[in-house]
Amino acid sequence: MKASELKHLLDLCQQQVVDIRKQPTQLVSGFGNPDANVLLVGEAPGAKEVEQGKPFVGQAGKNLDLFLETLDLKREAIYITNVVKYRPYRINPKTGRKCNRPPNKKEIELFMPYLHNEIEVIEPKTIVTLGNVALRAVSSRFHLNIGEEHGQLLTLSLTSRTYELFPLYHPASIIYNRSLYDAYYNDLKILKQLIHQ
Ligand code: URA
């Protein structure tokens, strides 16, 4: 039932994206248990995700496994999705190759209605956003900053329900900025308690 609702939403989203971009665009849908209590929201897929048609694979998937282990959660217990469902990229002028870039505001806004519909189908208890893009898109509040909101329990009200919203730094940002490491692990401890209470 939920799986077919999610598929229907994705088909509508695919049509809309192609109408707007006027080019064939491969979307990477969310993945996991649609009855999960925990919904993880990342930023956008990269090359590996497009290749395999799933969010958080390759190196990002290895980081995710570690993250889940710290939280004592199995992959089957979560649903994972991204705000932007296609890979935002630019062409490197030196190599002529595609490289990832952060999604822009227009791209984020394009996918927000789909993301909110996805949340309402899955109806998780807790939504964990990874990084600024996910925090802003889920909450619809573009002035929020992950540096101020991380590790604190917020609430999100959509049309049918209210959800727990727990903002975390994006795991990739910890790799680039080691000074966030302690705060990130402290937030994971708080999240672990929240999830298992
Ligand atoms: N892979 C994803 O699917 N999303 C991210 O935000 C990062 C890596």
Side-chain angles (χ1 to χ4, degrees):
M1 174 69 181
K2 283 188 182 182
S4 64
E5 282 181 65
L6 290 169
K7 168 85 177 63
H8 177 64
L9 283 178
L10 185 71
D11 290 344
L12 293 178
C13 182
Q14 176 82 62
Q15 257 173 27
Q16 199 195 353
V17 169
V18 172
D19 287 349
I20 289 173
R21 298 188 88 213
K22 310 218 180 316
Q23 53 176 292
T25 304
Q26 197 181 335
L27 300 188
V28 176
S29 66
F31 184 80
N33 180 357
D35 293 314
N37 281 331
V38 179
L39 171 66
L40 287 189
V41 184
E43 186 173 294
K48 284 269 178 275
E49 283 78 10
V50 172
E51 212 176 278
Q52 296 186 35
K54 279 188 217 167
F56 285 87
V57 296
Q59 189 52 49
K62 286 186 192 141
N63 293 343
L64 182 72
D65 287 340
L66 254 173
F67 169 91
L68 294 176
E69 204 179 299
T70 312
L71 291 177
D72 207 2
L73 267 181
K74 299 242 176 304
R75 266 210 188 218
E76 307 82 85
I78 61 161
Y79 191 86
I80 184 154
T81 194
N82 283 305
V83 175
V84 170
K85 265 55 177 186
Y86 61 72
R87 177 190 182 196
Y89 66 82
R90 61 183 177 81
I91 303 290
N92 180 324
K94 284 195 187 130
T95 60
R97 291 169 69 172
K98 290 180 184 175
C99 53
N100 293 345
R101 62 163 173 80
N104 59 40
K105 191 159 181 233
K106 225 167 137 191
E107 290 170 322
I108 296 169
E109 283 173 343
L110 168 64
F111 284 98
M112 274 170 57
Y114 176 61
L115 178 65
H116 290 160
N117 285 333
E118 231 182 338
I119 293 172
E120 296 203 276
V121 170
I122 295 162
E123 292 198 292
K125 176 173 171 286
T126 312
I127 303 166
V128 180
T129 53
L130 306 175
N132 263 327
V133 168
L135 170 61
R136 291 170 184 168
V138 167
S139 66
S140 309
R141 293 161 76 192
F142 278 83
H143 66 279
L144 291 185
N145 209 310
I146 190 63
E148 283 153 29
E149 308 297 336
H150 72 94
Q152 299 178 61
L153 188 59
L154 309 177
T155 54
L156 171 74
S157 293
L158 294 179
T159 45
S160 60
R161 259 196 52 184
T162 296
Y163 302 88
E164 293 175 352
L165 169 58
F166 194 85
L168 277 180
Y169 283 112
H170 195 290
S173 66
I174 310 307
I175 297 167
Y176 298 117
N177 187 350
R178 302 306 283 183
S179 68
L180 300 179
Y181 194 88
D182 288 350
Y184 179 72
Y185 275 92
N186 203 36
D187 293 349
L188 286 187
K189 270 193 222 153
I190 300 170
L191 178 59
K192 187 173 178 182
Q193 275 188 349
L194 181 72
I195 289 173
H196 295 289
Q197 77 191 356

